[in-house]
Each structure stands twice: as C-alpha cells, then as structure tokens.
Amino acid sequence: MSEKGNGHPRSRIGYGSSYHRGKQNEMAQPSGIGSVLGGQVWVIKPDKKAQAENPCLWMQAGAVKYKSCNNYYDCTTCKYDHAMQAKVSKGKQTSWQDAMRRQPALERVCRHSLTRRIAHRACAYDFRCDKCDFDQYFEDVLAAKTKSDPTRVETVKGFDVPSHYHFHNGHTWARIESGGFLRVGLDDFSLKVFGQADGFELPLMGKELSHDKIGWGLKRRDHLADVRAPVDGVIVEVNTRVMENPGLANREPYGEGWLFLVRTPDVKSAAKRLMSDEAGVDWISSEVGVLEEMVTEVAGPLAADGGTFGPDVYGNLPGLDWKKLTQAFLKTG
C-alpha cells in the first residue's frame, strides 16, 4: 500500500492541543486535561497557536477567539450561528460583520475568503451578504461546479482511496462540500474494473435520489450497468463535462470526474450511512480479494499474482462476465 499527496495533514494543520506523558499528581492540575490510557497518564493541553482545520466565520472575523466550523460552512442551518445572532440582537455579542468593519480597509475581505473557500477578495457591500450579487452567484453556481480535490490518497493494489470521502458498498462515493452539499461520483475501483464507459445515463437536475436505490447507469458497448445511489437527496447540479467526455471520470474519478451535486436535509446523517475513508481502505482490500478470485477463474493464478491492477480490467480479460461483475461490485444486475 502506498500513499500519495502533499504529506500528512498534521504537517500543515494544528489540531488544537499537545500532549505528554504525565504523572498521577498532574491529573488534578488546571494547566491541562489529564487522562489514563493503558495505565499511563497523559496530559493534554490546549494549543493557543493551533490553527482550526475549518475556521468558523466568527473566529476569522475576530468576533470570537477560537471556533472551528462543524457545519460545512452552511451558516443558514448552523445552530452556533443562530445562537450567536440571537446574542447579537440582545446586545450581548459583537456580530462578525461589525468585527470586520473595524478591520483596516485592506483586510475587509469577503466572507468566503475568510473561510478559505475562495482566494482573497475584497468585500464591496459592507458585509451585507444578502445584497451581494457575488455571494448569491458563488453559492448557486461557482461552489456547485467546483471540483473536489483529495488532499491525501492511499493506493490498494492500484486502486485509489482518498481521504475525506465516504463510500457506498456499490462503489460510489460522496464528499461533503462547503455549504452542506454532497458531491457524488464513481470510485476508482469500479471505473478501472469496468473500463471507460461509452456514456453515462445521469439523472436530471431536480431528480430525487434514494439511498441504496438505482440512481443512474453507465454504458459500455452493448452492456449497461445500473448504479445505486449512495445518499438521499435532490440533484442540484449535473457534471455535463462527464456526459460529453465520459473518459474524464476514469482520469479524475475524485476530481473533475464527479457526476452530480446533491442537496440533502441532513448531511451528517447521510454521511453516517456510508463508510469513512479509513473503513474504505479495508473494504477495498477485501474487494480486491474478490476480484483476484474472479480473475483467477478465467485467466489462471498467474494473472492475479499479488501485483497491482491497471485500468480496464474487463476489457483486458474477455473471459470476465459483465453481469457477474455488476452483481459482485455494483450490487445490481
């Protein structure tokens, strides 16, 4: 198994704490949080210099000291944001907008720049986002069309498994995007096993998907494979570039090759029904074992000798049965 990407996230992002081996008498000291693990005392201390991985808008504006976003920058449904706005209305809290208005002119940047969703952009509407044409355009158009970019990828015998993605056992993935959307696509395993599709039968915008039900299909030559939807929700954007150029999904399954964007009522519950990237690595390993057995049956033991798989497994091994592949891996057929 190998690892790709720009290094482990811990090399560039503070996680808000540090720890050291401690003694029993440190458990009651106020300077840290004591814990016992395996008979050893560990003392955890907050790190004031640590960066939030997903900094909250209120923190970035300077209205609060430290707050990491746990709602995917979907402020409209954020309980913390609603509570803070209530405190502002009672005169008990400075709003993030007022905090930004007190900043030097060159530092009064767009809220999407503050939360690292776009590059530096000055605010031209005095932080009245409801009056800003760009804010609406960003949420409705730019954010929906922006590709996903995995920051870290592990490879299992030639098949990529990226971090921060959630997997369905029918070999689709969903990634939570800023704004509370779910971006959906086919994983690297399925696209390499079935090879480059001649076309995708994707649902239209406004179509409602149901978790674990057939949601779309892919075509290759005279074959059609149905694909199960990983999440519930309504499609708000379809990747027309993949419909025009199906090979894009194979070249960048977790980037430009995404298929559509979904809006779901409860994004966290939707993600919990899927596998995390950590579980996905073990799952792909087991799926590779199934694939090796199928390859051995049609091509002999030398064809699955412990090496890595390349693209288009089906196309390079004519003895493989399309229907058996769809039943085994897509859970359809």
Side-chain angles (χ1 to χ4, degrees), residues 45 49 56 68 76 78 107 109 121 182-183 188 207 219 232 237-238 240-241 261 272 275 293 307 330:
K45 293 183 178 181
K49 296 182 180 180
C56 173
S68 184
T76 58
C78 177
E107 296 180 20
V109 296
R121 176 186 173 87
L182 286 163
R183 199 174 300 276
D188 185 54
K207 171 75 174 180
K219 296 183 293 184
D232 295 319
E237 186 72 29
V238 177
T240 56
R241 293 185 61 196
L261 198 72
K272 286 180 180 178
M275 288 176 277
E293 291 179 4
L330 301 183

Side-chain angles (χ1 to χ4, degrees), residues 91-117:
K92 297 180 179 180
Q93 170 67 46
T94 300
S95 69
W96 72 263
Q97 294 94 332
D98 283 340
M100 286 304 298
R101 291 175 186 128
R102 297 171 185 172
Q103 299 288 338
L106 294 178
E107 296 180 20
R108 297 174 193 164
V109 296
C110 172
R111 72 183 181 101
H112 301 303
S113 298
L114 283 177
T115 52
R116 304 175 186 172
R117 297 171 74 189

Side-chain angles (χ1 to χ4, degrees), residues 129-145:
C129 301
D130 58 324
K131 305 293 183 183
C132 178
D133 293 336
F134 174 79
D135 186 83
Q136 192 67 38
Y137 179 71
F138 177 83
E139 295 288 8
D140 293 346
V141 180
L142 291 183
K145 294 183 181 296

Side-chain angles (χ1 to χ4, degrees), residues 4-60:
K4 300 190 292 186
N6 298 322
H8 197 282
R10 285 181 183 269
S11 65
R12 59 185 176 82
I13 296 174
Y15 275 62
S17 63
S18 60
Y19 63 91
H20 68 271
R21 291 177 183 268
K23 298 180 180 179
Q24 189 66 36
N25 62 357
E26 292 184 84
M27 290 286 289
Q29 293 182 5
S31 59
I33 303 170
S35 181
V36 178
L37 181 64
Q40 171 64 50
V41 174
W42 296 90
V43 179
I44 304 170
K45 293 183 178 181
D47 181 3
K48 295 181 180 180
K49 296 182 180 180
Q51 291 180 308
E53 183 174 4
N54 299 297
C56 173
L57 179 62
W58 291 79
M59 171 188 167
Q60 291 294 79

